[in-house]
Amino acid sequence: MGRKVFVIGVGMTKFEKPGSTGKDYPDFAKEAGERALADAGIPYTAIEQAAVGYCYGDSTCGQRAVYQLGCTGIPVYNVNNNCSTGSTALFMAKQFVEGGLADCALALGFEKMEKGSLGAKFMDRINPMDKHLEVMVGLRGFESAPPTAQFFGNAGREHMEKYGTRKEAFAKIGHKNHKHSVNNPYSQFQQEYSLDDILKAPMVFDPLTKLQCCPTSDGAGAAILASEDFVRKHKLQAKAVEILGMAMTTDFASTFDAKSCIKLIGQDLTRAAAQQVYQQSGLGPENVDVVELHDCFSVNELITYEGLGLCAEGKGGELIESGAVTYGGQVVVNPSGGLISKGHPLGATGLAQCAELNWQLR
C-alpha cells in the first residue's frame, strides 16, 4: 500500500442546459477550480500535478482550462474516458499522491456539450462501442431510438423478464432522484414530479421515459488531493476526507460472452470494483450510509444496487420499491438528485459525485 490520500477541497459549477449560459469550458473550469482551491484554503501554486478530464474538445483543452487558475509549468494530463472521465482524473490524481509523486494534486473535469442525445463524432473509423452494439443487436435487435437508451433499456427489459421487476421500480428511481434534486442548488433540474408524471413522460425506449434519462449538460467539477504530511503542514485535518478505497475496472470477457444486456452495461465491472474497494477499506456494503452512483438511466441505478452489494442479484426492484434507498431507509442513494436531475457533463460528473460525498461526510 502507498501513502494515505485525502480530499482537502472540492468545488463545482451549477450544471446547465448546453449553450444556455454563454460560458465556455475555461469559464466553467475556472469556477470549479477556484471553488476547490478556496475550499482547501491553498493557492494554485501548491498544486504539483493536474489531471484534467473532458470528452468533447481538442487535445490540449486540459491545459487551456487550468491556465485560468495559473501558469506554473506543472504537468497537466488530458483525460478522456467517456462517462467515467471525471472519476478517472480523480483516480490518476490519487495515484500521484499515493505513489509519492506529488504531495498535492488537482483533478478537474468539465464539459461543453451539444443539445440532444449523444452521437458518434468520427465516422471514418471503428466505433469504440462496436463490440457492445454487435452483442445487443444480436440479442434484441435495433430500433429508431438513441443507442445509449437502447443499451440500458434492453438491460431493464432483461431484468423484468428474468426477475419480475416492474416498470414502476425504474420509474420510482426517477421519482426519488428528482425529489432529492429539489434541495441541490447545483442541479440542472430542481423540480419534483409525481410517480405518475414519471411514468407518463414521453417514452424514449421502453421502459425508459424521458424523466428516467439524464440530460446533456455544461459544467465542471474539481477536487484537490493531498498527502497526510501536506494535510498536517497546512492544518487541514478538520476538513480532510480520506479516500479509503478506490478502484477502476474495464470490460471482462463476460461483458460480451455472457449474451446478457445486463452484463453488457457493466454489471461485472461494478461488482469487481466494489469488491476491490471493500477489500481496500475493510468495510462492506452494510457500512455504507450514502452513495453517489451513475444513474445515466434509471435502469443503471437499479442494476448498480446489485453490483455494489446493497442487495442480492435480482432484488434491485424490491430495494427501490421498499423505500430503502432514500432518507429514512437503509442507505441514501444520490442525495444530489443524481445524473437524472443534476445533469451529466461527461468530464465533470465523477468529480461532482466526489464533491457531493465530501459535503455529506463533512
Side-chain angles (χ1 to χ4, degrees):
M1 286 294 291
R3 303 189 301 173
K4 290 182 177 180
V5 182
F6 298 83
V7 181
I8 58 170
V10 292
M12 64 178 286
T13 68
K14 179 175 169 59
F15 288 176
E16 307 275 9
K17 184 178 180 181
S20 65
T21 63
K23 296 177 183 176
D24 210 334
Y25 71 90
D27 304 314
F28 292 117
K30 181 175 189 283
E31 189 177 334
E34 286 183 344
R35 286 177 174 174
L37 289 165
D39 187 36
I42 62 168
Y44 183 68
T45 50
I47 306 292
E48 297 168 52
Q49 300 210 44
V52 185
Y54 59 95
C55 292
Y56 297 108
D58 292 320
S59 64
T60 55
C61 287
Q63 279 83 351
R64 180 65 182 83
V66 296
Y67 292 163
Q68 303 296 105
L69 302 174
C71 293
T72 55
I74 62 168
V76 177
Y77 306 88
N78 289 263
V79 180
N80 179 344
N81 213 9
N82 210 344
C83 301
S84 62
T85 295
S87 302
T88 304
L90 185 69
F91 190 64
M92 286 181 67
K94 175 181 177 283
Q95 290 183 313
F96 298 153
V97 175
E98 189 174 42
L101 302 175
D103 275 317
C104 186
L106 169 69
L108 178 70
F110 59 83
E111 213 68 67
K112 182 176 168 65
M113 300 185 74
E114 296 173 349
K115 296 174 184 175
S117 56
L118 304 182
K121 286 287 182 186
F122 298 97
M123 307 308 291
D124 62 342
R125 63 204 71 184
I126 291 172
N127 186 304
M129 296 298 291
D130 68 328
K131 286 171 69 69
H132 295 79
L133 197 61
E134 184 183 338
V135 172
M136 184 189 77
V137 171
L139 290 170
R140 300 271 171 172
F142 192 81
E143 298 180 30
S144 58
T148 47
Q150 292 190 57
F151 277 117
F152 292 92
N154 280 323
R157 293 178 185 184
E158 182 180 317
H159 206 278
M160 292 165 76
E161 293 159 8
K162 198 171 179 181
Y163 303 114
T165 307
R166 304 189 315 141
K167 279 187 183 182
E168 287 80 1
F170 300 122
K172 282 185 176 181
I173 289 169
H175 175 256
K176 168 185 69 73
N177 289 352
H178 281 294
K179 187 178 178 71
H180 287 177
S181 76
V182 171
N183 297 313
N184 183 5
Y186 295 103
S187 186
Q188 186 169 337
F189 300 116
Q190 289 179 264
Q191 185 174 345
E192 188 175 345
Y193 296 92
S194 69
L195 185 62
D196 200 46
D197 291 335
I198 306 287
L199 286 163
K200 289 181 177 175
M203 187 62 70
V204 177
F205 184 82
D206 198 19
L208 295 169
T209 62
K210 186 177 180 180
L211 292 174
Q212 299 175 61
C213 306
C214 70
T216 50
S217 316
D218 291 348
I224 299 169
L225 276 53
S227 66
E228 190 169 9
D229 286 346
F230 188 97
V231 169
R232 292 187 186 283
K233 181 181 174 184
H234 292 82
K235 297 181 170 56
L236 298 171
Q237 294 94 320
K239 69 170 59 175
V241 175
E242 186 178 356
I243 300 178
L244 292 179
M246 191 170 186
M248 182 176 168
T249 54
T250 307
D251 288 302
F252 296 99
S254 61
T255 304
F256 309 107
D257 296 345
K259 303 299 181 191
S260 160
C261 287
I262 292 173
K263 300 283 189 190
L264 200 60
I265 65 165
Q267 185 187 53
D268 289 349
L269 284 71
T270 301
R271 184 172 287 116
Q275 289 307 315
Q276 287 179 45
V277 296
Y278 294 145
Q279 189 171 5
Q280 290 167 18
S281 64
L283 300 168
E286 69 279 0
N287 301 114
V288 176
D289 298 314
V290 61
V291 175
E292 279 286 311
L293 62 76
H294 198 87
D295 60 315
C296 48
F297 298 91
S298 59
V299 168
N300 200 48
E301 175 163 330
L302 187 143
I303 288 169
T304 301
Y305 296 156
E306 299 170 17
L308 294 175
L310 299 178
C311 64
E313 189 166 332
K315 300 293 186 182
E318 292 178 24
L319 190 72
I320 177 68
E321 297 221 48
S322 72
V325 287
T326 187
Y327 294 94
Q330 166 190 329
V331 57
V332 183
V333 179
N334 286 329
S336 67
L339 282 59
I340 285 173
S341 294
K342 190 174 66 210
H344 185 24
L346 305 185
T349 287
L351 288 157
Q353 291 174 319
C354 175
E356 180 68 32
L357 288 175
N358 275 268
W359 291 326
Q360 294 287 345
L361 288 167
R362 286 182 193 171

